[in-house]
Amino acid sequence: MALRFEHDRPRLRAVAYRILGSLSEADDALQDAWLRADRADTSDVANPSGWLTTVVARVCLNMLRARAGRREEPLDDVVPGPRSGGGSADPEEEAQLADSVGIALLIVLDTLGPDERLAFVLHDMFDVPFDDIAALLGKTSAATRQLASRARRRVRGVPAPEADTPRRRRAVDAYLAATRGGDFDALVALLHPDVVLRADEAVVPTPEPVVMSGREPVARGAMASMSRAQTAAVVLVDGLSGIATAAHGRLAVVLRFAFDGDGLITGIDVVAEPERLAALDVTGAGVS
């Protein structure tokens, strides 16, 4: 079993990372899973790889459920940075993994409940049979299919039929590209002269919400978030194109936009308070 675990480690790590969204937590899950596997009687295990996947998934499910029980986290976790108690994962490796999986996908996965996330990841990404997942969750196979189906709909996303126009989506794409690339002039060109940005206290953080107006002040504020933009992606926020950022695979900040009739951005609402984030419907925008 030790040889099989080492042989399967890359796949098991991939499973844990997609379930948890954090490389350090995935490595912690693998360590815990191996301790459990090493103590177990595996003499009757017919499919060692499948059995190890189940052990890793069970550990990850416990971690997800514990995480869901403490959704309100300290402000240090809102801004991307090292996670307390999360091991010593290489930030560059984590960034490469996030890119390979898809930042938008990780963001949307973080909005799912633990059971939905596990069902979707194991079945849709790793071809684990529903019967096996159902046994993990303590549900029927039919109920597990429903969980995966609901998760699939959120991952794919359904834009509002008229309000989310292609021009709006292009503007949000351009805003993210300009912020990531530090292109101040391109960002200014997307903004209305009287644009207003409002940000939660948790974004900076500050004692009260931040409000700034005017093209250049708002553009300069956006430039200050270049590092955060590296872990951001375009998603649907309440059915409309917006931007969400992930801190170690966890939904951290959401940007909602308002436009004028000419397609210029007139308002930006930056949401980071846990209660407000939880109230938003964040789904995929062409995520696969």
Side-chain angles (χ1 to χ4, degrees):
M1 189 58 70
L3 291 174
R4 173 53 55 183
F5 189 92
E6 286 307 314
H7 179 272
D8 289 354
R9 180 182 288 274
R11 182 178 185 276
L12 296 173
R13 195 181 194 223
V15 169
Y17 179 71
R18 283 155 180 79
I19 294 175
L20 296 169
S22 163
L23 186 56
S24 58
E25 288 182 342
D27 286 339
D28 287 346
L30 251 65
Q31 182 176 2
D32 189 357
W34 168 245
L35 292 174
R36 294 177 183 223
D38 190 42
R39 292 194 299 262
D41 179 5
T42 59
S43 57
D44 294 332
V45 173
N47 179 3
S49 292
W51 184 81
L52 287 170
T53 299
T54 299
V55 174
V56 169
R58 191 180 301 279
V59 170
C60 291
L61 180 63
N62 292 338
M63 293 172 72
L64 280 182
R65 287 173 172 169
R67 178 194 295 177
R70 49 178 170 79
R71 265 302 188 186
E72 294 208 9
E73 297 178 338
L75 291 178
D76 289 346
D77 258 359
V78 172
V79 181
R83 291 191 59 78
S84 59
S88 56
D90 180 359
E92 183 176 348
E93 183 184 6
E94 180 131 28
Q96 291 173 347
L97 263 178
D99 284 341
S100 67
V101 174
I103 294 172
L105 176 58
L106 290 175
I107 289 169
V108 176
L109 287 177
D110 191 52
T111 68
L112 303 177
D115 291 5
E116 286 181 330
R117 183 166 184 165
L118 191 85
F120 174 80
V121 169
L122 290 183
H123 181 267
D124 285 42
M125 304 179 78
F126 292 96
D127 298 320
V128 177
F130 278 121
D131 287 346
D132 293 352
I133 303 170
L136 262 174
L137 297 176
K139 300 181 181 295
T140 65
S141 186
T144 305
R145 288 177 183 273
Q146 288 284 345
L147 289 171
S149 178
R150 287 204 301 267
R152 202 175 298 122
R153 287 195 296 271
R154 291 193 62 80
V155 167
R156 290 174 179 170
V158 180
E162 295 182 5
D164 198 52
T165 62
R167 180 167 64 174
R168 179 189 178 103
R169 171 62 191 261
R170 287 194 296 270
V172 174
D173 282 335
Y175 181 96
L176 178 56
T179 306
R180 276 181 175 165
D183 192 336
F184 184 83
D185 292 337
L187 193 56
V188 167
L190 297 169
L191 303 175
H192 187 277
D194 299 321
V195 62
V196 176
L197 180 146
R198 294 179 175 83
D200 283 346
E201 299 96 316
V203 174
V204 178
T206 57
E208 56 188 28
V210 173
V211 179
M212 58 181 68
S213 59
R215 274 176 169 162
E216 294 198 358
V218 170
R220 283 195 295 270
M223 290 296 99
S225 64
M226 277 181 63
S227 61
R228 184 179 289 157
Q230 306 310 312
T231 60
V234 175
V235 295
L236 296 179
V237 183
D238 296 333
L240 301 174
S241 293
I243 294 172
T245 69
H248 304 278
R250 309 284 293 280
L251 181 64
V253 180
V254 168
L255 277 69
R256 301 189 295 183
F257 297 89
F259 292 84
D260 68 4
D262 296 322
L264 293 177
I265 297 171
T266 59
I268 305 172
D269 183 20
V270 187
V271 181
E273 292 291 344
E275 297 88 349
R276 293 190 69 202
L277 285 176
L280 298 176
D281 183 24
V282 179
T283 60
V287 180
S288 59

